[in-house]
């Protein structure tokens, strides 16, 4: 192989060998273990990797026939170069020196995490977390109750804060631990940071939280004061109206019964002939007045009866709208638990 081809190959070796300047792997002895790799070149028998510190003291020198070599160094700043050895066991070409740094991996620490309970129907849910000691190689996982490790993606907001992207549909029900891993010996595990569960029935919490059944209270909690007043006044007013018209109908029914009994008694007396001083015209006038009173009483009874039914129907209408409104806002628009006071207030 001609020397100019070695120069071309050497260029690619330099790119692949020295592209990563900061190495981030560590073990218990504070020694970094990593692998240097480069592009293999046809016709080169061996390679010689030389690593010096910045004071030109040799730290690591090793030859290999492969295109990679395992290196163990303590954290610090170094420079390196690669020599090419021909079949005559002679170095005929070196790469340029390249500075690099080995960083000790920190142990991650979580200063804040947003613990959540998520239902399985959601496609994605975000969890905010603040972690110190994260690196470019930091990996984050979830661990389920069967010790299954599930990788999750995250977006870094700033130096320490990030958002974890969770896909609840792909997870089984149960509690999950969070694992933050910089290396095999530099990792952190937090228990029960996430709970996945099936959504509960929308009607069970509605019945359990009886305060939601009172018209006007949930709407007022949502600052929908106009709607709250209409529902509250409309429902209560229609109930009071129904009670009033019911009592009036009962009163006219009793009056009707009394008039019937009075008219029946007069007819019996007139028929027996015991009252002789009544003239025929007087009796007819009396019967006419009684008949008019009966008709008027019947009209008033029917009117109050119809108004009673109308008021009951109106109260049912207001309450039905209230139930639909609660179900819509509490379980579809904003499915959040709310504390609703029991005090009824009227605002204008």
């Amino acid at each position: 192989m001609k020397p100019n081809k070695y120069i071309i190959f050497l260029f690619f070796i330099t790119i692949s060998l020295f592209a990563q300047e900061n190495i981030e792997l560590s073990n218990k002895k504070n020694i970094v273990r990593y692998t240097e790799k480069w592009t293999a070149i046809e016709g080169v028998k061996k390679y010689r990797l030389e690593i010096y510190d910045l004071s030109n003291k040799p730290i690591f020198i090793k030859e290999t026939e492969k295109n990679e070599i395992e290196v163990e160094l303590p954290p610090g700043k170094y420079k390196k170069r690669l020599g090419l050895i021909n079949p005559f066991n002679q170095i005929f070409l070196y790469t340029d020196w390249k500075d690099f740094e080995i960083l000790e991996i920190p142990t991650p620490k979580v200063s804040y995490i947003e613990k959540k309970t998520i239902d399985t129907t959601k496609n994605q849910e975000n969890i905010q977390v603040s972690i110190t000691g994260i690196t470019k190689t930091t990996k984050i996982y979830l661990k389920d109750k069967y010790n299954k490790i599930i990788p999750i993606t995250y977006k870094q907001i700033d130096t320490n804060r990030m958002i974890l992207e969770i896909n609840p549909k792909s997870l089984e029900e149960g509690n999950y631990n969070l694992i933050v891993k910089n290396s095999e010996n530099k990792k952190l595990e937090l228990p029960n940071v996430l709970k996945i569960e099936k959504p509960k029935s929308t009607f069970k919490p509605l019945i359990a939280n009886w305060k939601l059944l009172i018209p006007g209270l949930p709407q007022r909690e949502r600052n929908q004061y106009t709607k709250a007043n209409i529902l509250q006044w409309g429902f209560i007013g229609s109930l009071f109206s129904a009670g009033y018209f019911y009592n009036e109908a009962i009163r006219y029914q009793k009056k009707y019964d009394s008039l019937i009994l009075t008219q029946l008694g007069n007819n019996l007396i007139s028929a027996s002939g015991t009252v002789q001083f009544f003239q025929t015209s007087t009796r007819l006038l009396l019967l006419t007045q009684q008949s008019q009173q009966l008709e008027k009483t019947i009209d008033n009874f029917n009117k109050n009866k119809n108004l009673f039914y109308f008021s009951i129907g109106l109260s049912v209408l207001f309450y039905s709208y209230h139930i639909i409104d609660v179900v819509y806002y509490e379980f579809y628009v904003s499915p959040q638990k709310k504390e609703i006071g029991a005090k009824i207030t009227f605002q204008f």
Side-chain angles (χ1 to χ4, degrees):
M1 184 177 290
K2 296 181 181 181
N4 61 343
K5 292 185 178 181
Y6 286 110
I7 296 175
I8 297 174
F9 279 114
L10 195 61
F11 172 75
F12 290 104
I13 289 177
T14 304
I15 295 175
S16 62
L17 178 62
F18 303 123
Q20 184 180 1
E21 299 182 5
N22 297 329
I23 301 169
E24 297 178 342
L25 294 170
S26 65
N27 63 8
K28 294 180 180 179
K29 298 179 181 180
N30 203 30
I31 296 296
V32 176
R33 182 181 295 109
Y34 72 100
T35 301
E36 289 276 10
K37 294 182 179 181
W38 55 86
T39 305
I41 300 177
E42 183 182 355
V44 174
K45 182 180 179 181
K46 291 191 296 184
Y47 305 90
R48 178 187 175 93
L49 178 64
E50 298 180 359
I51 298 178
Y52 285 63
D53 62 16
L54 298 185
S55 61
N56 288 324
K57 179 183 177 181
I59 302 298
F60 180 90
I61 297 176
K62 191 172 182 179
E63 296 180 359
T64 180
E65 295 181 355
K66 300 179 181 180
N67 65 325
E68 62 180 39
I69 191 170
E70 190 175 273
V71 181
E72 293 184 359
L73 292 173
K77 293 183 178 181
Y78 303 92
K79 61 181 181 179
K80 58 186 176 182
R81 68 177 180 176
L82 186 69
L84 307 182
I85 302 176
N86 60 24
F88 303 103
N89 206 30
Q90 294 177 343
I91 297 177
F92 65 90
L93 195 61
Y94 272 110
T95 63
D96 294 333
W97 288 103
K98 181 67 176 180
D99 293 337
F100 70 102
E101 184 178 3
I102 295 177
L103 302 176
E104 181 179 2
I105 295 297
T107 301
K109 294 181 181 180
V110 175
S111 57
Y112 167 78
I113 185 167
E114 182 184 12
K115 294 188 177 182
K116 280 188 176 182
T117 299
I118 308 173
D119 65 67
T120 55
T121 60
K122 292 189 176 182
N123 293 321
Q124 182 174 324
E125 184 72 19
N126 295 331
I127 296 178
Q128 293 191 26
V129 61
S130 181
I131 306 175
T132 57
I134 59 176
T135 67
K136 294 179 181 179
T137 60
T138 298
K139 305 292 183 183
I140 300 180
Y141 307 91
L142 290 177
K143 187 171 78 172
D144 63 12
K145 57 184 177 182
Y146 305 108
N147 293 326
K148 179 182 177 182
I149 304 299
I150 305 164
I152 58 175
T153 58
Y154 62 88
K155 293 180 180 179
Q156 192 165 350
I157 302 176
D158 52 33
T159 305
N160 296 328
R161 289 195 309 128
M162 57 184 62
I163 293 178
L164 309 183
E165 298 177 341
I166 309 296
N167 183 8
K169 281 190 174 181
S170 65
L171 301 176
E172 296 182 358
E173 290 185 78
N175 293 316
Y176 287 81
N177 296 352
L178 183 72
I179 299 176
V180 184
K181 182 178 179 182
N182 287 343
S183 69
E184 288 299 327
N185 302 296
K186 303 288 185 177
K187 60 184 178 181
L188 173 68
E189 182 171 346
L190 297 176
N192 301 327
V193 300
L194 178 66
K195 184 178 181 181
I196 302 294
E197 63 180 16
K198 290 182 179 179
K200 298 179 181 179
S201 172
T202 57
F203 294 99
K204 184 175 180 181
L206 178 61
I207 297 174
N209 191 356
W210 58 268
K211 298 172 185 176
L212 292 176
L213 301 177
I214 301 176
L217 288 184
Q219 293 81 10
R220 189 162 283 110
E221 286 292 323
R222 297 194 298 266
N223 297 326
Q224 297 175 336
Y225 296 111
T226 301
K227 183 191 293 184
N229 289 326
I230 291 174
L231 288 175
Q232 202 169 65
W233 274 104
F235 179 70
I236 295 175
S238 59
L239 283 183
F240 276 112
S241 297
Y244 171 78
F245 292 127
Y246 177 80
N247 289 329
E248 286 294 300
I250 294 298
R251 186 171 68 85
Y252 282 109
Q253 184 178 17
K254 291 180 179 179
K255 184 176 181 180
Y256 172 81
D257 294 339
S258 177
L259 289 172
I260 287 294
L261 291 175
T262 302
Q263 186 179 30
L264 181 61
N266 291 335
N267 289 336
L268 289 175
I269 293 172
S270 176
S272 63
T274 48
V275 182
Q276 299 296 328
F277 58 86
F278 274 111
Q279 301 295 327
T280 304
S281 59
T282 304
R283 290 201 303 270
L284 290 175
L285 179 62
L286 180 61
L287 291 174
T288 302
Q289 290 176 348
Q290 290 177 345
S291 298
Q292 290 177 349
Q293 287 181 351
L294 284 174
E295 290 178 1
K296 186 176 180 180
T297 301
I298 292 172
D299 289 340
N300 288 330
F301 170 79
N302 289 330
K303 184 185 297 183
N304 283 276
K305 181 185 70 172
N306 293 333
L307 289 174
F308 165 74
Y309 288 138
F310 176 78
S311 299
I312 288 293
L314 197 61
S315 64
V316 171
L317 183 64
F318 278 117
Y319 197 78
S320 299
Y321 182 85
H322 163 72
I323 294 297
I324 295 172
D325 180 76
V326 168
V327 171
Y328 177 75
Y329 278 96
E330 299 297 323
F331 304 107
Y332 291 94
V333 174
S334 179
Q336 298 176 353
K337 296 180 179 179
K338 297 183 178 180
E339 296 293 334
I340 300 177
K343 183 179 178 180
I344 300 177
T345 58
F346 300 93
Q347 298 182 14
F348 297 92

